[in-house]
Amino acid sequence: MNTDKRDRIIKRIKPNEYSFVLELNQRYVDVLIPMDREELEWLVETAALFEIIYVDNFPAGFIIAFREGLNDYDFKSYKWFEERYPKFLYIDRIVVADSYQNQGLGRVLYKRAFDYAKENEINILAAAITTEPYNNKSMLFHAGIGFHEVGNQCIRSNTVKISQQVMELISNENS
């Protein structure tokens, strides 16, 4: 089926979508941050972007992104960017369900992040990609859209290694 003819809608998460997010996050927990209901509710309240993408009225994936300045978010990767960049949008996670992968939905969700960054005059998009265990799909995807490594670190008691990556957005103020 040609996915270009399918309806794609992105909207802010609602409580009736929490179970979808929790189940999808658990499916990929080896390369994501674990999440329970309490954490999810905090993320919903705190995230600059916490949105669900729908394809033909079915939830297909989600994006969670944070602005700089969160003193109460203790994820080591976010703090790494917070120490180095005064203004950024941190892509905490973009997750697409198996049955919707390779249909361009990750790019659609990143476009939403790019649009948000542009609307808010943010020039740095930041992301952390798991390299141990190696997340080849994510590494290739991020390289393909213009991210590059600016550092790395170990998390979860040194059991997981991540690549700290950024994409610098060009301002169109003088265009």
Side-chain angles (χ1 to χ4, degrees):
M1 175 183 275
N2 183 346
T3 59
D4 293 339
K5 297 189 187 283
R6 300 171 84 180
D7 278 336
R8 295 176 178 174
I9 298 169
I10 301 174
K11 56 186 179 178
R12 184 82 181 174
I13 188 171
K14 295 180 183 169
N16 66 332
E17 298 160 325
Y18 289 5
S19 62
F20 166 75
V21 169
L22 289 169
E23 289 169 19
L24 191 55
N25 197 85
Q26 184 59 35
R27 166 76 176 87
Y28 298 103
V29 76
D30 60 326
V31 293
L32 294 174
I33 305 163
M35 181 188 337
D36 61 18
R37 175 77 182 218
E38 183 179 347
E39 174 80 2
L40 171 66
E41 290 172 354
W42 183 86
L43 293 169
V44 169
E45 292 298 318
T46 308
L49 292 174
F50 196 143
E51 299 182 350
I52 308 290
I53 187 166
Y54 280 81
V55 175
D56 293 337
N57 296 316
F58 293 99
F62 65 91
I63 179 174
I64 304 172
F66 297 105
R67 293 287 308 268
E68 71 286 338
L70 293 179
N71 295 327
D72 54 349
Y73 188 47
D74 63 358
F75 184 53
K76 195 173 176 181
S77 179
Y78 173 85
K79 292 295 187 190
W80 189 94
F81 288 108
E82 182 80 9
E83 292 168 1
R84 290 162 177 81
Y85 297 94
K87 192 172 184 180
F88 62 93
L89 182 65
Y90 176 74
I91 309 302
D92 186 73
R93 63 196 98 181
I94 289 181
V95 186
V96 176
D98 287 344
S99 58
Y100 293 97
Q101 289 188 5
N102 302 313
Q103 296 179 21
L105 299 185
R107 287 184 184 273
V108 172
L109 290 168
Y110 258 106
K111 182 176 182 328
R112 175 66 187 108
F114 299 151
D115 292 346
Y116 177 91
K118 183 178 177 183
E119 292 162 9
N120 291 278
E121 299 177 354
I122 299 168
N123 293 323
I124 298 290
L125 262 62
I129 299 124
T130 305
T131 56
E132 285 181 27
Y134 196 75
N135 189 343
N136 190 52
K137 273 185 168 181
S138 187
M139 289 294 284
L140 290 172
F141 175 83
H142 284 86
I145 62 172
F147 276 81
H148 64 276
E149 186 173 271
V150 291
N152 57 64
Q153 69 180 156
C154 290
I155 60 171
R156 296 191 200 163
S157 301
N158 291 326
T159 62
V160 175
K161 185 175 179 182
I162 54 176
S163 170
Q164 304 291 76
Q165 299 205 1
V166 298
M167 172 188 244
E168 291 130 11
L169 303 177
I170 298 169
S171 173
N172 290 327
E173 292 175 8
N174 299 324
S175 299

